[in-house]
Amino acid sequence: MQFDIFSLFPAMFEGPLSESILKRAQEAGLLTIALHDIRAYTTDKHHVCDDTPYGGGGGMVLKPEPIFRAVEAVLGADADCPIILLTPQGRLFTQEVAAELAQHERLALVCGRYEGVDERVRQHLATDELSIGDYVLTGGELAAMVIVDAVARQVPRVLGALWAAEDDSHATGLLEGPHYTRPAVFRGWPVPEVLLSGDHARIERWRREEVLRRTWQRRPELLHTTALTEEDLAFLSALEEE
Ligand code: ADE
């Protein structure tokens, strides 16, 4: 899968995208992450990318020309991959959106900055707009990193054979339960006895109950949008009674 990221600050991406799993996935040829400096696509002597807003008011607005030029030069004029503008006004990025985006061979991410981006970028270049949450960042770069990370780990083989993305919090519609590793007792705090029992059916049942318990305690609304078994429902009503 290929990501093309358009930004005024491509150096911001160097650390997060070149460590650990994303680094390994790029080395293995599973991912290509290409960074494109919007400023390199200006045509004026001073490489200006922003200007004051028409109609007055504070802040600066990103000019349309360098962004159109950058995206068209990299993707070609009739690219058919999604061109996603990162903006707090976009639709909310969720695990479901990550899974949907992972179906594409290529994604272009355009990072906004300053007060905003000239409206014609939204209207005539972007095919989608995403926000990573209801807060305002100084630019779209951190949002793009979040999206690359969450989408990339959905790409087959990126996580490797050791663990899969299917059981993640949110992938099942519920939160993940607790995990433990050695030692069996740490500072007097023991691992739950059931996990040491070797009884796989009991362990599976306990794990399912912990998933339900955690979701019920922290994000009860998720229980209304997930398919639950009779056994799940019985456990949840027992919890309510407690
Ligand atoms: N740019 C600024 N804030 C943002 C957000 N919350 N999501 C995506 N892009 C942004």
Side-chain angles (χ1 to χ4, degrees):
M1 175 162 195
Q2 168 148 353
F3 294 91
D4 287 282
I5 302 173
F6 298 86
S7 164
L8 281 175
F9 301 100
M12 283 181 72
F13 292 84
E14 278 162 21
L17 301 184
S18 52
E19 294 286 346
S20 183
I21 289 170
L22 295 187
K23 175 184 181 187
R24 239 185 28 219
Q26 289 173 86
E27 287 169 353
L30 298 169
L31 289 185
T32 304
I33 303 174
L35 297 168
H36 308 287
D37 186 349
I38 294 171
R39 201 172 297 280
Y41 294 87
T42 50
T43 49
D44 63 304
K45 192 165 110 207
H46 299 291
H47 305 292
V48 173
C49 288
D50 59 339
D51 206 340
T52 51
Y54 271 117
M60 297 295 271
V61 175
L62 276 183
K63 291 163 69 62
E65 304 98 311
I67 299 179
F68 272 81
R69 282 172 54 87
V71 172
E72 287 169 358
V74 171
L75 301 184
D78 51 6
D80 61 357
C81 75
I83 301 171
I84 300 167
L85 179 68
L86 286 320
T87 160
Q89 295 137 52
R91 66 183 174 123
L92 191 64
F93 181 68
T94 61
Q95 188 68 25
E96 210 176 339
V97 177
E100 168 199 320
L101 295 180
Q103 303 304 311
H104 293 274
E105 269 302 302
R106 190 174 192 186
L107 292 180
L109 300 171
V110 179
C111 305
R113 272 270 145 187
Y114 312 123
E115 240 343 82
V117 174
D118 187 283
E119 186 66 13
R120 288 160 291 190
V121 172
R122 295 176 198 282
Q123 289 175 332
H124 305 294
L125 185 67
T127 60
D128 199 355
E129 297 175 41
L130 290 177
S131 163
I132 60 163
D134 289 339
Y135 38 79
V136 181
L137 303 166
T138 55
E141 284 77 8
L142 289 169
M145 289 181 222
V146 166
I147 290 172
V148 169
D149 191 279
V151 172
R153 66 194 292 294
Q154 301 282 324
V155 172
R157 297 190 294 128
V158 164
L159 290 187
L162 281 181
W163 90 96
E166 287 101 56
D167 291 335
D168 290 337
S169 287
H170 298 293
T172 60
L174 302 174
L175 302 186
E176 260 185 274
H179 301 288
Y180 292 92
T181 186
R182 274 179 277 273
V185 180
F186 170 67
R187 297 190 176 175
W189 301 308
V191 169
E193 171 278 325
V194 55
L195 295 178
L196 310 177
S197 69
D199 180 341
H200 293 294
R202 236 181 101 212
I203 292 172
E204 278 317 299
R205 194 162 357 104
W206 180 85
R207 285 194 169 141
R208 181 67 183 172
E209 289 175 1
E210 292 307 307
V211 163
L212 294 167
R213 185 195 309 278
R214 188 157 284 188
T215 308
W216 178 76
Q217 285 168 336
R218 300 182 183 188
R219 298 288 306 277
E221 78 281 7
L222 298 176
L223 294 167
H224 302 302
T225 49
T226 306
L228 299 172
T229 65
E230 287 294 315
E231 219 179 347
D232 292 340
L233 293 169
F235 177 75
L236 288 168
S237 25
L239 269 185
E240 302 268 356
E241 274 168 32
E242 263 175 41

